[in-house]
Amino acid sequence: MFKLSLYKMDMKKIVFATNNSHKLTELRQMLGDRYEILGLADIGCHEDIPETASVIEGNARMKAQYVKEHYGYDCFSDDTGLEIDALNGEPGVYSARYAGPGHDSEANIDKVLSKLEGVTNRTARFRTAIALLQGDEMHLFEGQVEGVILTERHGTGGFGYDSIFQPLEGDGLTFAQMPPEEKNRISHRGRAVARLVAYLSGNE
Ligand code: IMP
């Protein structure tokens, strides 16, 4: 126990501005013992961090800056959007709340499907931006995956818009039909995280 705490004292602390325990576990596994990754709850941050930018990169930067300013830690933060070409990039930065406040993912999907009724161009992409603030240096990492929006839901796995998004490189399956490892291998977030991890590990 004592040994473990001494060892932890040597690790650089960095905050991942999220309360999502799945995201935290994934990052901890990928970064191994190079960094101690703290979540928002670990630093006592329980308030809603403003996310009022008009693009995902802006929101990611805003969250990282907020943590640095209020808590003093180096920090990284992610933001993701689904961009549908026939809807001029909607829902984009509004992906989480497309059907309005208080609505869930099912309502968001219903809104997308009804807006795309009769539309033949179904191309879309997920894009993730990760902003890393170390000292006063800001770095941005991006990941994206191209695909199409189907006319109905397929599969029960995943979350958000997974059941209507079929990536071009996914053997005809939606994200909701794939095993999680397969989704992570080709997904927007998986790719952005891989770039962040390569950078933090000194390989980029
Ligand atoms: P966040 O920035 O990771 O919170 O993502 C914002 C919103 O985008 C989520 O609330 C979901 O609606 C959607 N989203 C993000 N990542 C995914 C994904 O991997 N699959 C499906 N929907 C996603």
Side-chain angles (χ1 to χ4, degrees), residues 1-187:
M1 191 64 194
F2 178 62
K3 224 173 169 183
L4 179 70
S5 13
L6 268 185
Y7 158 79
K8 279 209 163 185
M9 272 165 51
D10 290 342
M11 285 160 72
K12 278 191 208 155
K13 286 187 169 50
I14 191 160
V15 172
F16 184 4
T18 184
N19 284 313
N20 182 321
S21 56
H22 297 291
K23 288 186 183 177
L24 281 168
T25 306
E26 185 183 273
L27 251 293
R28 285 179 180 133
Q29 283 164 351
M30 289 175 83
L31 274 172
D33 54 10
R34 291 181 199 90
Y35 288 86
E36 183 182 351
I37 306 285
L38 305 171
L40 289 175
D42 298 319
I43 58 166
C45 174
H46 300 290
E47 64 270 26
D48 277 338
I49 301 180
E51 292 184 58
T52 51
S54 55
V55 289
I56 57 171
E57 288 80 359
N59 274 344
R61 275 201 203 95
M62 205 177 247
K63 286 186 275 182
Q65 270 158 348
Y66 183 96
V67 168
K68 185 82 187 172
E69 207 173 298
H70 292 80
Y71 295 88
Y73 286 98
D74 286 351
C75 177
F76 59 88
S77 156
D78 71 334
D79 200 38
T80 293
L82 172 64
E83 300 172 348
I84 301 174
D85 292 326
L87 302 180
N88 298 316
E90 277 183 28
V93 74
Y94 306 108
S95 294
R97 49 188 193 282
Y98 195 41
H103 286 80
D104 60 5
S105 292
E106 293 311 308
N108 290 337
I109 289 180
D110 287 339
K111 180 165 178 184
V112 164
L113 291 181
S114 84
K115 282 201 153 200
L116 287 181
E117 226 171 279
V119 175
T120 46
N121 174 16
R122 319 278 304 188
T123 55
R125 73 207 49 77
F126 274 113
R127 235 164 37 81
T128 293
I130 296 180
L132 167 70
L133 186 52
Q134 278 184 309
D136 56 6
E137 268 185 43
M138 182 74 86
H139 298 272
L140 268 184
F141 305 90
E142 204 211 330
Q144 64 180 58
V145 57
E146 299 287 333
V148 291
I149 303 296
L150 302 181
T151 53
E152 53 186 38
R153 295 163 170 84
H154 292 271
T156 52
F159 71 103
Y161 300 90
D162 276 349
S163 64
I164 55 167
F165 184 83
Q166 185 184 82
L168 295 186
E169 50 202 301
D171 289 334
L173 298 177
T174 64
F175 269 163
Q177 293 174 306
M178 286 179 189
E181 317 78 65
E182 179 59 11
K183 178 187 167 187
N184 290 340
R185 196 180 62 78
I186 61 171
S187 84

